[in-house]
Amino acid sequence: MGMSDFAPRPFLNIEEMNDTIIRNWNQAVGENDIVYHLGDIAMLHTRPAKAAYEQIFEVLDSLNGRLVLIKGNHDSRDLFKYLNQHNHPVGDGMKFEFHDVGALIKMNHRQYYLTHYPMMMGIVKQIINLHGHIHHYAVPIKENINVGIDSPELDYLSEKVPFGAPLSSAQVEKIVEQKAIDLLREGDR
């Protein structure tokens, strides 16, 4: 199995994992699609840091679409600066867009606040917080949806999401609906 005890992955090495992510991502994402990445873009301990940033850029640049990158706790401002220096046009925009805290978008008659960390906003009608950060754990609040690569909330989907493929808006909506139903059932017990 894994490359670390913290986030076990079914790959023999980083190259195999990156190749799988790139393949699965590019099968799901078109050249002009916009994808929101909710932080912890990469963990690479190569020195000097510039060498790590070059490797991260190569992987990110090989992914289809435009990437809106929201800073996670393992992402550095220096990485974002490096990516911005190598930013280039894709479709109607630039390859990378950057946010320190989060982005608010409207989709399917809801507002989604996209952050790295789960945000406890209280109950706000029609606002859902999509987040990552907490690995293998789901906040027991229907408005908080963990969309990380290893989120247990991916189990709300009938189909398995290929490793590294971003979720579609339809998949996100399915998770939101199913989690609300699941928590309602738990409240009835």
Side-chain angles (χ1 to χ4, degrees):
M1 184 96 160
M3 297 179 315
S4 88
D5 292 334
F6 174 68
R9 304 286 189 242
F11 304 103
L12 297 175
N13 56 49
I14 298 291
E15 292 76 22
E16 181 185 348
M17 181 180 75
N18 287 346
D19 290 345
T20 299
I21 289 171
I22 292 166
R23 182 180 59 253
N24 290 339
W25 178 292
N26 287 343
Q27 286 176 354
V29 177
E31 285 296 324
N32 294 311
D33 290 346
I34 297 173
V35 178
Y36 292 82
H37 191 293
L38 304 186
D40 290 352
I41 297 160
M43 288 189 66
L44 194 55
H45 303 289
T46 302
R47 296 289 175 236
K50 184 179 179 198
Y53 301 158
E54 288 170 356
Q55 292 175 39
I56 293 167
F57 173 78
E58 278 184 40
V59 171
L60 294 177
D61 200 42
S62 67
L63 299 173
N64 286 347
R66 295 170 35 207
L67 283 69
V68 178
L69 304 174
I70 295 169
K71 189 175 179 300
N73 58 300
H74 293 290
D75 301 324
S76 70
R77 290 194 190 286
D78 288 339
L79 169 61
F80 276 24
K81 287 177 185 175
Y82 181 89
L83 295 174
N84 195 41
Q85 289 168 352
H86 295 84
N87 212 352
H88 57 87
V90 171
D92 295 335
M94 298 299 285
K95 179 69 177 180
F96 306 114
E97 181 182 318
F98 307 95
H99 295 273
D100 280 339
V101 177
L104 185 64
I105 64 170
K106 292 182 180 182
M107 178 176 71
N108 300 328
H109 307 291
R110 295 184 206 264
Q111 291 185 47
Y112 287 89
Y113 190 41
L114 287 66
T115 60
H116 177 66
Y117 300 102
M119 303 296 287
M120 302 304 164
M121 300 182 296
I123 297 172
V124 182
K125 188 175 178 161
Q126 300 299 343
I127 295 181
I128 303 292
N129 174 220
L130 301 181
H131 64 85
H133 180 68
I134 56 177
H135 304 275
H136 311 292
Y137 178 74
V139 176
I141 299 170
K142 71 179 176 70
E143 291 83 11
N144 286 78
I145 307 294
N146 181 353
V147 293
I149 200 165
D150 48 14
S151 168
E153 294 179 334
L154 298 179
D155 292 344
Y156 287 122
L157 300 172
S158 54
E159 74 281 358
K160 184 172 175 13
V161 178
F163 188 86
L167 296 174
S168 69
S169 59
Q171 289 171 314
V172 167
E173 190 64 25
K174 177 81 170 172
I175 293 170
V176 169
E177 291 170 2
Q178 291 303 310
K179 182 173 183 178
I181 291 167
D182 195 34
L183 290 176
L184 192 60
R185 283 186 197 139
E186 285 182 18
D188 290 341
R189 290 183 200 162

Coordinates of all heavy atoms in Angstrom, one line a residue, residues 6 37-43 69-75 80 99-103 113-119 129-135 139 144-150:
F6 N 0.5 8.5 7.2 CA -0.5 9.6 7.3 C -1.5 9.5 6.2 O -2.7 9.6 6.5 CB 0.2 11.0 7.3 CG -0.8 12.1 7.3 CD1 -1.6 12.4 8.4 CD2 -0.9 12.9 6.2 CE1 -2.5 13.4 8.4 CE2 -1.8 14.0 6.2 CZ -2.6 14.2 7.3
H37 N -9.2 23.8 -6.7 CA -8.4 22.8 -5.9 C -8.3 23.4 -4.5 O -7.8 24.6 -4.3 CB -7.0 22.7 -6.5 CG -6.2 21.6 -5.8 ND1 -5.8 21.6 -4.5 CD2 -5.8 20.4 -6.3 CE1 -5.2 20.5 -4.2 NE2 -5.1 19.8 -5.3
L38 N -8.8 22.7 -3.5 CA -9.0 23.3 -2.2 C -7.8 23.1 -1.2 O -8.0 22.8 0.0 CB -10.3 22.7 -1.6 CG -11.5 22.9 -2.4 CD1 -12.8 22.4 -1.7 CD2 -11.7 24.3 -2.9
G39 N -6.6 23.2 -1.8 CA -5.4 23.3 -0.9 C -4.7 22.0 -0.8 O -5.1 20.9 -1.1
D40 N -3.5 22.2 -0.2 CA -2.5 21.1 -0.1 C -2.3 20.5 -1.5 O -2.5 19.3 -1.8 CB -2.9 20.0 0.9 CG -2.9 20.5 2.3 OD1 -2.4 21.6 2.6 OD2 -3.4 19.8 3.2
I41 N -1.8 21.4 -2.3 CA -1.6 21.1 -3.7 C -0.5 20.0 -3.9 O -0.7 19.1 -4.7 CB -1.1 22.3 -4.5 CG1 -2.3 23.4 -4.4 CG2 -0.7 22.0 -5.9 CD1 -1.8 24.8 -4.7
A42 N 0.5 20.1 -3.1 CA 1.6 19.1 -3.3 C 2.5 19.1 -2.0 O 2.6 20.1 -1.4 CB 2.5 19.3 -4.5
M43 N 3.0 18.0 -1.7 CA 4.0 17.9 -0.6 C 5.3 17.4 -1.2 O 5.3 16.2 -1.6 CB 3.6 17.1 0.5 CG 2.5 17.7 1.3 SD 2.1 16.8 2.9 CE 3.6 17.1 3.8
L69 N -6.6 27.8 -7.3 CA -5.9 27.2 -6.2 C -6.2 28.0 -4.9 O -5.9 29.2 -4.8 CB -4.4 27.2 -6.5 CG -4.0 26.5 -7.8 CD1 -2.5 26.7 -8.1 CD2 -4.4 25.1 -7.8
I70 N -6.7 27.3 -4.0 CA -7.0 27.8 -2.7 C -5.9 27.3 -1.7 O -5.7 26.1 -1.7 CB -8.4 27.5 -2.2 CG1 -9.4 28.2 -3.1 CG2 -8.6 27.9 -0.7 CD1 -10.8 27.7 -3.0
K71 N -5.3 28.2 -1.0 CA -4.1 27.9 -0.2 C -4.5 26.9 0.9 O -5.4 27.2 1.7 CB -3.4 29.1 0.3 CG -2.1 28.9 1.0 CD -1.5 30.3 1.3 CE -0.2 30.1 2.0 NZ -0.2 29.3 3.3
G72 N -3.7 25.8 1.1 CA -3.9 24.9 2.2 C -2.7 25.1 3.1 O -1.8 25.8 2.9
N73 N -2.8 24.4 4.3 CA -1.7 24.5 5.3 C -0.3 24.0 4.8 O 0.7 24.3 5.4 CB -2.1 23.9 6.6 CG -2.5 22.4 6.4 OD1 -3.4 22.0 5.7 ND2 -1.8 21.6 7.2
H74 N -0.3 23.2 3.8 CA 1.0 22.7 3.2 C 1.4 23.4 2.0 O 2.4 23.1 1.4 CB 0.9 21.2 2.9 CG 0.7 20.3 4.1 ND1 1.7 20.2 5.1 CD2 -0.3 19.6 4.6 CE1 1.3 19.4 6.1 NE2 0.0 19.0 5.8
D75 N 0.7 24.5 1.6 CA 1.1 25.3 0.5 C 1.8 26.6 1.0 O 1.3 27.2 1.9 CB -0.2 25.7 -0.3 CG -0.9 24.4 -0.8 OD1 -0.3 23.4 -1.2 OD2 -2.2 24.5 -0.8
F80 N 3.0 29.6 -4.6 CA 2.0 30.4 -5.4 C 2.7 31.5 -6.2 O 2.4 31.7 -7.4 CB 1.0 31.0 -4.5 CG -0.1 30.1 -4.1 CD1 0.0 28.7 -4.1 CD2 -1.3 30.7 -3.7 CE1 -1.1 27.9 -3.8 CE2 -2.4 29.8 -3.3 CZ -2.3 28.5 -3.4
H99 N -6.2 32.0 -4.4 CA -6.9 32.6 -3.2 C -6.3 32.1 -2.0 O -6.0 30.9 -1.8 CB -8.4 32.1 -3.3 CG -9.2 32.6 -4.5 ND1 -9.8 33.8 -4.4 CD2 -9.4 32.1 -5.7 CE1 -10.4 34.0 -5.6 NE2 -10.1 32.9 -6.4
D100 N -6.1 33.0 -1.0 CA -5.5 32.7 0.3 C -6.5 31.9 1.2 O -6.1 31.0 1.9 CB -5.0 33.9 1.0 CG -3.7 34.4 0.5 OD1 -2.9 33.6 -0.2 OD2 -3.3 35.5 0.7
V101 N -7.7 32.3 1.2 CA -8.7 31.8 2.1 C -9.8 30.9 1.5 O -10.0 29.8 1.9 CB -9.4 32.9 3.0 CG1 -10.4 32.3 4.0 CG2 -8.3 33.6 3.8
G102 N -10.4 31.4 0.5 CA -11.5 30.7 -0.2 C -12.1 31.4 -1.3 O -11.7 32.6 -1.6
A103 N -13.1 30.8 -1.9 CA -13.8 31.4 -3.1 C -15.3 31.1 -2.9 O -15.6 30.0 -2.5 CB -13.3 30.9 -4.4
Y113 N -19.1 27.9 -0.6 CA -17.9 28.6 -0.1 C -16.8 27.5 -0.1 O -16.9 26.5 0.7 CB -18.1 29.2 1.3 CG -17.0 30.1 1.8 CD1 -16.4 31.0 0.9 CD2 -16.6 30.0 3.1 CE1 -15.4 31.8 1.4 CE2 -15.6 30.8 3.5 CZ -15.0 31.7 2.7 OH -14.0 32.5 3.1
L114 N -15.8 27.7 -1.0 CA -14.8 26.7 -1.2 C -13.6 27.1 -0.4 O -13.0 28.2 -0.6 CB -14.4 26.6 -2.6 CG -15.5 25.9 -3.5 CD1 -16.8 26.6 -3.6 CD2 -14.9 25.6 -4.9
T115 N -13.2 26.3 0.6 CA -12.1 26.6 1.5 C -11.2 25.4 1.7 O -11.6 24.3 1.4 CB -12.6 27.1 2.9 OG1 -13.4 26.0 3.5 CG2 -13.4 28.3 2.8
H116 N -10.1 25.6 2.3 CA -9.2 24.4 2.6 C -9.7 23.8 3.9 O -10.0 22.6 4.0 CB -7.8 24.8 2.7 CG -6.9 23.6 3.2 ND1 -6.7 22.5 2.4 CD2 -6.2 23.4 4.3 CE1 -5.9 21.6 3.0 NE2 -5.6 22.2 4.2
Y117 N -9.9 24.6 4.9 CA -10.3 24.2 6.2 C -11.8 24.2 6.3 O -12.5 25.1 5.7 CB -9.8 25.1 7.3 CG -8.3 25.3 7.4 CD1 -7.7 26.3 6.9 CD2 -7.6 24.3 8.1 CE1 -6.3 26.5 7.0 CE2 -6.2 24.4 8.2 CZ -5.6 25.5 7.6 OH -4.2 25.6 7.7
P118 N -12.5 23.3 7.0 CA -13.9 23.4 7.2 C -14.2 24.6 8.0 O -13.6 25.0 8.9 CB -14.3 22.1 8.1 CG -13.0 21.5 8.5 CD -11.9 22.1 7.7
M119 N -15.3 25.3 7.5 CA -15.7 26.6 8.2 C -17.0 26.3 8.9 O -17.9 25.8 8.3 CB -15.9 27.7 7.1 CG -14.7 28.0 6.2 SD -13.3 28.6 7.1 CE -13.8 30.2 7.4
N129 N -20.3 24.7 2.5 CA -18.9 24.8 2.6 C -18.3 23.5 2.1 O -18.4 22.5 2.7 CB -18.5 25.1 4.1 CG -17.0 25.1 4.2 OD1 -16.5 24.5 5.2 ND2 -16.2 25.7 3.3
L130 N -17.6 23.6 0.9 CA -16.8 22.5 0.4 C -15.4 22.8 0.9 O -14.9 23.9 0.8 CB -16.9 22.5 -1.1 CG -18.2 22.4 -1.8 CD1 -18.1 22.4 -3.3 CD2 -19.0 21.2 -1.3
H131 N -14.8 21.7 1.4 CA -13.5 21.8 2.0 C -12.7 20.5 1.9 O -13.2 19.5 1.5 CB -13.6 22.3 3.5 CG -14.3 21.2 4.3 ND1 -13.6 20.1 4.9 CD2 -15.5 21.1 4.7 CE1 -14.4 19.4 5.5 NE2 -15.6 19.9 5.4
G132 N -11.5 20.6 2.3 CA -10.6 19.4 2.4 C -10.0 19.3 3.8 O -10.8 19.5 4.8
H133 N -8.8 19.2 3.9 CA -7.9 19.3 5.1 C -8.0 18.1 6.1 O -7.0 17.7 6.6 CB -8.2 20.6 5.8 CG -7.3 20.8 7.1 ND1 -5.9 20.9 7.0 CD2 -7.6 20.8 8.4 CE1 -5.5 21.0 8.2 NE2 -6.5 20.9 9.1
I134 N -9.2 17.6 6.4 CA -9.3 16.8 7.5 C -9.2 15.3 7.2 O -9.3 14.5 8.2 CB -10.6 17.0 8.3 CG1 -11.9 16.9 7.4 CG2 -10.6 18.4 9.0 CD1 -13.2 17.1 8.2
H135 N -8.9 14.8 6.0 CA -8.6 13.4 5.7 C -9.5 12.4 6.4 O -9.6 12.5 7.7 CB -7.2 13.1 6.0 CG -6.2 14.0 5.3 ND1 -5.7 13.7 4.1 CD2 -5.6 15.1 5.7 CE1 -4.9 14.6 3.7 NE2 -4.7 15.5 4.7
V139 N -17.2 16.2 8.9 CA -17.9 17.1 9.9 C -19.4 16.7 9.9 O -20.0 16.6 8.9 CB -17.7 18.6 9.6 CG1 -18.4 19.4 10.6 CG2 -16.2 18.9 9.5
N144 N -21.4 21.2 5.7 CA -20.0 21.1 5.6 C -19.7 19.8 4.8 O -20.0 18.7 5.3 CB -19.3 21.0 6.9 CG -19.2 22.4 7.5 OD1 -20.2 22.9 8.1 ND2 -18.0 23.1 7.4
I145 N -19.1 19.9 3.6 CA -18.8 18.7 2.8 C -17.3 18.6 2.5 O -16.7 19.5 2.0 CB -19.6 18.8 1.4 CG1 -21.1 19.1 1.6 CG2 -19.3 17.6 0.6 CD1 -21.9 18.0 2.3
N146 N -16.8 17.5 3.0 CA -15.3 17.2 2.8 C -15.2 16.6 1.4 O -15.7 15.5 1.1 CB -14.8 16.3 3.8 CG -13.3 16.0 3.6 OD1 -12.7 16.3 2.7 ND2 -12.8 15.2 4.6
V147 N -14.6 17.3 0.5 CA -14.4 16.8 -0.9 C -12.9 16.4 -1.2 O -12.5 16.3 -2.3 CB -14.9 17.9 -2.0 CG1 -16.4 18.0 -1.9 CG2 -14.2 19.2 -1.8
G148 N -12.2 16.2 -0.1 CA -10.8 15.8 -0.3 C -10.7 14.4 -0.9 O -11.7 13.6 -1.0
I149 N -9.5 14.1 -1.4 CA -9.3 12.9 -2.2 C -9.5 11.6 -1.4 O -9.8 10.6 -1.9 CB -7.8 12.9 -2.8 CG1 -7.7 12.0 -3.9 CG2 -6.8 12.7 -1.7 CD1 -6.5 12.2 -4.7
D150 N -9.5 11.7 0.0 CA -9.7 10.6 0.8 C -10.9 10.8 1.8 O -10.9 10.2 2.9 CB -8.4 10.2 1.6 CG -7.8 11.5 2.2 OD1 -8.5 12.5 2.3 OD2 -6.6 11.4 2.6

